[in-house]
């Protein structure tokens, strides 16, 4: 079962999204994860740490191999 996180914003920078969702302890750690191709959103690998993400219901975010969350 994937943990669910409530995010109120309509869009967020990818670094803020990872920190707010609890998938990274800091923005610099989130940036490192993205540069190392360790972040996927709906199974799509993210490579640009400056990207703005449009928040959608039931979006699945993965950081590393074992950290998953679903956005509500």
């Amino acid at each position: 079962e994937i943990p669910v996180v409530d995010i109120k914003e309509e869009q967020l920078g990818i670094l803020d999204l990872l920190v707010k969702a609890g998938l990274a302890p800091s923005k610099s750690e989130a940036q490192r994860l993205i540069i190392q191709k360790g972040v996927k959103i709906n199974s799509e690998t993210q490579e640009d740490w400056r990207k703005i993400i449009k928040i959608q219901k039931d979006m699945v975010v993965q950081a590393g191999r074992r950290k998953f969350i679903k956005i509500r």
Side-chain angles (χ1 to χ4, degrees):
E1 183 63 27
I2 299 175
V4 177
V5 175
D6 284 320
I7 295 193
K8 306 288 184 237
E9 290 83 1
E10 288 183 19
Q11 58 183 26
L12 267 178
I14 191 166
L15 299 180
D16 292 318
L17 174 63
L18 291 171
V19 172
K20 190 169 241 185
L23 295 174
S26 66
K27 285 185 180 182
S28 58
E29 180 71 14
Q31 182 177 345
R32 186 189 65 74
L33 270 172
I34 294 166
I35 289 169
Q36 293 178 352
K37 299 183 178 159
V39 175
K40 292 183 181 179
I41 297 179
N42 291 336
S43 302
E44 187 179 307
T45 303
Q46 302 299 309
E47 296 179 7
D48 181 9
W49 58 268
R50 297 177 213 91
K51 187 172 183 179
I52 303 296
I53 304 295
K54 286 183 175 41
I55 305 300
Q56 299 162 352
K57 192 177 188 309
D58 294 332
M59 194 162 81
V60 176
V61 181
Q62 176 184 356
R65 281 194 178 166
R66 296 185 183 96
K67 291 183 184 176
F68 288 88
I69 57 127
K70 184 182 271 189
I71 294 176
R72 179 169 39 183

